Amino acid sequence: MMTDEQQNQQRLFAAFTPATATDWEQKARKDLRDTPLDSLTWHTYEGIDIKPYYAKEDIADLPFVKQKPGDFPFLRGNKNGNNSWLNIQQIKVKDDGKEAIAKAADALQRGADGIHFIIMQPDVFDISQLVHSIDLGKHSVSYTLHNHPKAFLERLYAQLEQEQVSHRNLKGFVNFDPMTSKGGLTKEERHEIVEVLDLTKDSREFYGVSVCGANFSSIGASVTQEIAYTISAAVAYVDKLTSAGEPLESVLRNMQFYMASGTNYFFEIAKLRAVRLLWSTVVEAYQTAPALAAHLRIHSATSSWYQTTLDPYVNMLRTTTEAMAAVMAGCDSLTVTPFDSTFKTSDEFSERIARNVSIILREESYLDKAIDPAAGSYYLESLTNELAQKAWSLFNEVEALGGFEDAYDGGFILGSITEVSRRKFRNIATGRDVLVGTNKYPNPKESISFDPEELIQSADFDTTRAAYPTEVMRMATELHLRKRKRRPKAIVALIGDAEQRQVNATFAQEFFSCAGFETEKRQFSSVEEASDQLTNSSAEVVVVSSSEAAYINEFGPRLRNHHAKPTIILADDPLHMKEEMMANGYDEFIFEDCDMKTLLEAVQKRLAQDEENNN
């Protein structure tokens, strides 16, 4: 007798012939015609090659694909019933925090489930005002503290006792993480965290140890690096704190991961699944109860790495997809960053928009209804496995170097992240990786409301973001516009008819458009015509794109007499002829994979000299 499942399968699929991976491959090759199937493979920063399609065979041997939510190794999380998460609004605290506390109380009335205070001066924070304004037994309230977490929590617990509020009902976390922020713990810091764990041991929903993987992603780490180094830092905390006398179970129960969620949608979903899978392996290695792995709490925040200052409303779209990925992956709480946070103190409007992203995902998109919807996806299950394998291999490499602190001190961790971030910066500069509104599809009518010079010099301006190099160029352009009442101009001179000439010219024009220049493309039949017409043109930059070597050699010397002395750039790779080309009048070169940093510096120097000459 057939089961109901078998009957349903027979009724629904009997008319269809089963298709194997080979069948799909043959169909794809036929549809692609002359395009090789391998050309569609995506080579990622994680060293994972993503195939054009995935099939049932790709997950046939994976041991975890049949696991249910709440089952070891907790890849699918430990939630029961629904995929609920807390909507946490982040608030930066100045001075005694009274203004921030009032804002927090208001946010909790407007849809926030909890608050995350970034406290710069914990010793002057008005804890009495906090306890009187917010029900700490009802709402999740967390604290990022850069120093002295023990003293801050002692004040908090003393105030709770004075007000006869039970500390057992506290919810939230303390984010004090010297390990990931600077590579290790001093004896004093270790003692502080042990004291924090002792204080919070009876507050079952208040987590005393946060491991901030966002510190790696915010400087350009790959997803694999973020996973591996976060787990490695967590292991370092466990070893340090247990060596100081803290019970292993206490450390594991009171530890949470603070992860960033980026724009690489499917990778971000797979990331949290891989984190839980590997954490269960670590807990097993400590020979403690496997169920302790289920206590791992994951707080997600939208990534600072992808936030842009230019065309900032696009950040709303970025953070929405980032938030979706974190929610689909089963984060326990989520912070969405306001779209304008890169260049000013966020206002009530931008904070409300950020808060409502999470509310819409829950109330209107119903993403709280299904636990781990990625389960069973051929691609996502395969990607989870690949990320876990790569991250575990990197984790073991760090352990072989002596663990997180030794690997950090020896330069391995930051060095490996820098290597990846440089590739990312290069790909953004050349347009291979797209930041919409910044290095691709800029808004030519965008009006910048802030002072560019003041922003660049501000200590709060995040220089580690992906968009930063492009933004600095744009800021220099904006300053030129404000001081001279016109945008700097770049003329792209096309000489000849070769196809590659058009490609180089288009790339150059797009680059300078994104940098805020007024751009113009002109066609010339000869070097003589080009140099004659451009000699008296008003342009800060002249780019020559030519199909003939003779044109390249002749154009620079002819333009040396230009009255405005523009920066002359060759839209081609000079190869071994760089010195010769520069001797012939060229200042820089622009082509795919060129040194964009050097090019930007040359153009910025030219604009700065222009300003000096006109002052």
Side-chain angles (χ1 to χ4, degrees):
M1 184 174 179
M2 289 191 296
T3 64
D4 290 341
E5 182 179 354
Q6 290 172 327
Q7 288 177 339
N8 288 335
Q9 288 179 339
Q10 183 181 37
R11 186 163 53 251
L12 290 173
F13 304 117
F16 296 91
T17 303
T20 65
T22 302
D23 295 330
W24 281 109
E25 182 173 343
Q26 290 175 349
K27 174 62 175 172
R29 291 185 185 280
K30 180 180 178 182
D31 290 346
L32 288 169
R33 299 180 182 178
D34 296 330
T35 303
L37 188 60
D38 292 344
S39 68
L40 301 181
T41 298
W42 172 28
H43 306 289
T44 71
Y45 294 110
E46 289 70 25
I48 297 172
D49 292 338
I50 301 300
K51 301 188 298 182
Y53 67 91
Y54 286 79
K56 185 177 181 179
E57 290 82 351
D58 290 301
I59 66 171
D61 298 324
L62 298 184
F64 55 75
V65 294
K66 295 183 179 179
Q67 295 291 335
K68 296 179 180 179
D71 287 353
F72 186 84
F74 308 109
L75 174 144
R76 303 193 64 194
N78 59 359
K79 296 179 181 179
N80 294 308
N82 60 44
N83 184 37
S84 62
W85 70 93
L86 297 178
N87 180 13
I88 306 295
Q89 180 164 327
Q90 182 173 296
I91 298 176
K92 192 171 183 178
V93 178
K94 295 180 180 179
D95 303 323
D96 62 4
K98 289 184 178 179
E99 183 179 337
I101 293 167
K103 178 187 286 189
D106 180 66
L108 291 169
Q109 297 297 317
R110 294 172 176 262
D113 301 314
I115 302 297
H116 177 196
F117 288 115
I118 311 298
I119 304 177
M120 310 308 293
Q121 298 173 279
D123 53 326
V124 301
F125 184 78
D126 194 333
I127 288 179
S128 175
Q129 180 75 15
L130 173 68
V131 174
H132 284 102
S133 302
I134 297 174
D135 186 346
L136 299 185
K138 176 181 178 182
H139 299 292
S140 172
V141 179
S142 305
Y143 315 89
T144 285
L145 306 168
H146 299 294
N147 51 61
H148 308 308
K150 172 195 169 187
F152 178 85
L153 287 179
E154 284 178 338
R155 290 175 56 218
L156 174 62
Y157 275 66
Q159 187 68 40
L160 291 173
E161 184 177 1
Q162 181 178 327
E163 301 294 334
Q164 297 184 334
V165 177
S166 174
H167 65 271
R168 296 177 184 273
N169 296 325
L170 278 182
K171 300 174 177 64
F173 58 83
V174 174
N175 180 29
F176 172 72
D177 183 12
M179 190 72 74
T180 66
S181 62
K182 60 184 182 66
L185 292 181
T186 64
K187 288 183 179 180
E188 292 75 14
E189 289 166 344
R190 183 179 64 180
H191 178 71
E192 286 262 342
I193 296 174
V194 168
E195 293 287 342
V196 167
L197 289 178
D198 287 342
L199 275 170
T200 61
K201 62 186 177 183
D202 295 327
S203 307
R204 306 290 286 181
E205 295 184 67
F206 192 78
Y207 292 77
V209 180
S210 286
V211 187
C212 194
N215 284 335
F216 305 122
S217 65
S218 67
I219 57 174
S222 70
V223 172
T224 301
Q225 289 172 333
E226 186 182 357
I227 297 170
Y229 298 153
T230 301
I231 291 177
S232 181
V235 168
Y237 271 122
V238 172
D239 292 345
K240 286 278 188 180
L241 297 175
T242 53
S243 296
E246 193 69 20
L248 175 61
E249 291 76 9
S250 173
V251 178
L252 295 177
R253 282 183 180 275
N254 287 282
M255 180 175 286
Q256 75 145 11
F257 287 178
Y258 187 130
M259 308 296 288
S261 185
T263 57
N264 195 347
Y265 187 67
F266 293 115
F267 271 66
E268 294 297 336
I269 294 174
K271 179 173 75 180
L272 298 194
R273 304 175 90 241
V275 162
R276 286 192 288 263
L277 178 63
L278 296 186
W279 186 243
S280 68
T281 304
V282 169
V283 171
E284 268 194 312
Y286 278 110
Q287 298 181 339
T288 188
L292 280 174
H295 287 275
L296 178 65
R297 185 183 190 278
I298 299 178
H299 174 72
S300 289
T302 53
S303 173
S304 64
W305 169 260
Y306 295 99
Q307 289 278 93
T308 63
T309 301
L310 304 175
D311 211 354
Y313 293 106
V314 178
N315 289 327
M316 294 185 192
L317 307 178
R318 292 191 183 101
T319 56
T320 298
T321 59
E322 291 170 346
M324 284 180 64
V327 166
M328 299 275 275
C331 67
D332 296 289
S333 55
L334 171 66
T335 293
V336 177
T337 307
F339 71 87
D340 56 357
S341 60
T342 59
F343 60 91
K344 72 182 188 70
T345 300
S346 297
D347 55 25
E348 196 271 339
F349 171 74
S350 60
E351 289 174 344
R352 179 173 179 270
I353 292 294
R355 191 168 57 239
N356 282 351
V357 168
S358 199
I359 296 173
I360 288 173
L361 293 181
R362 181 172 56 210
E363 302 294 342
E364 297 187 21
S365 301
Y366 309 110
L367 294 188
D368 63 331
K369 303 303 182 187
I371 299 174
D372 191 23
S377 163
Y378 301 148
Y379 172 41
L380 283 171
E381 295 285 23
S382 298
L383 182 56
T384 299
N385 181 61
E386 289 235 47
L387 282 177
Q389 295 284 353
K390 290 281 186 182
W392 189 247
S393 176
L394 182 56
F395 168 79
N396 284 323
E397 191 174 350
V398 172
E399 290 300 293
L401 292 172
F404 183 86
E405 289 179 292
D406 286 347
Y408 195 100
D409 289 340
F412 175 79
I413 289 175
L414 289 183
S416 62
I417 293 175
T418 300
E419 182 182 345
V420 171
S421 67
R422 282 176 177 167
R423 287 166 52 201
K424 289 183 176 182
F425 279 126
R426 184 171 62 248
N427 287 341
I428 289 167
T430 58
R432 287 187 175 185
D433 290 349
V434 174
L435 287 173
V436 175
T438 299
N439 74 331
K440 198 83 168 179
Y441 314 116
N443 178 5
K445 298 181 180 180
E446 180 176 7
S447 176
I448 295 178
S449 59
F450 51 83
D451 183 331
E453 196 167 16
E454 182 180 329
L455 180 66
I456 291 174
Q457 295 174 357
S458 169
D460 293 330
F461 191 48
D462 186 351
T463 62
T464 65
R465 293 173 298 109
Y468 176 73
T470 307
E471 289 177 354
V472 169
M473 182 67 247
R474 178 67 179 275
M475 300 304 173
T477 305
E478 183 69 18
L479 286 172
H480 185 283
L481 169 64
R482 294 186 178 194
K483 291 179 180 179
R484 302 200 62 188
K485 307 305 179 184
R486 70 171 182 83
R487 290 190 178 279
K489 187 173 184 178
I491 296 176
V492 181
L494 297 91
I495 308 172
D497 300 316
E499 181 179 346
Q500 187 59 42
R501 175 190 60 82
Q502 293 283 355
V503 172
N504 292 340
T506 300
F507 174 72
Q509 184 177 26
E510 188 171 69
F511 172 83
F512 282 103
S513 293
C514 290
F517 278 60
E518 176 190 345
T519 61
E520 181 183 354
K521 192 187 292 185
R522 295 189 189 178
Q523 176 74 52
F524 301 100
S525 59
S526 66
V527 173
E528 291 80 4
E529 180 189 1
S531 58
D532 288 346
Q533 293 190 26
L534 292 175
T535 298
N536 296 313
S537 62
S538 59
E540 283 71 23
V541 174
V542 173
V543 181
V544 58
S545 181
S546 172
S547 59
E548 298 293 338
Y551 292 172
I552 294 173
N553 290 330
E554 294 174 12
F555 189 86
R558 283 177 173 271
L559 216 61
R560 277 180 173 173
N561 295 323
H562 192 295
H563 73 286
K565 302 295 183 185
T567 300
I568 305 175
I569 299 174
L570 174 63
D572 201 357
D573 185 350
L575 300 174
H576 58 282
M577 298 176 63
K578 182 174 181 178
E579 291 184 6
E580 180 183 348
M581 292 295 97
M582 296 188 81
N584 276 302
Y586 291 95
D587 299 296
E588 269 304 330
F589 309 89
I590 186 168
F591 54 91
E592 193 172 12
D593 292 330
C594 70
D595 185 353
M596 302 304 293
K597 181 180 179 182
T598 302
L599 176 62
L600 286 170
E601 288 175 349
V603 177
Q604 288 172 5
K605 183 178 180 181
R606 166 65 180 78
L607 293 180
Q609 289 175 344
D610 190 33
E611 295 307 321
E612 289 178 6
N613 294 335
N614 285 275
N615 286 337

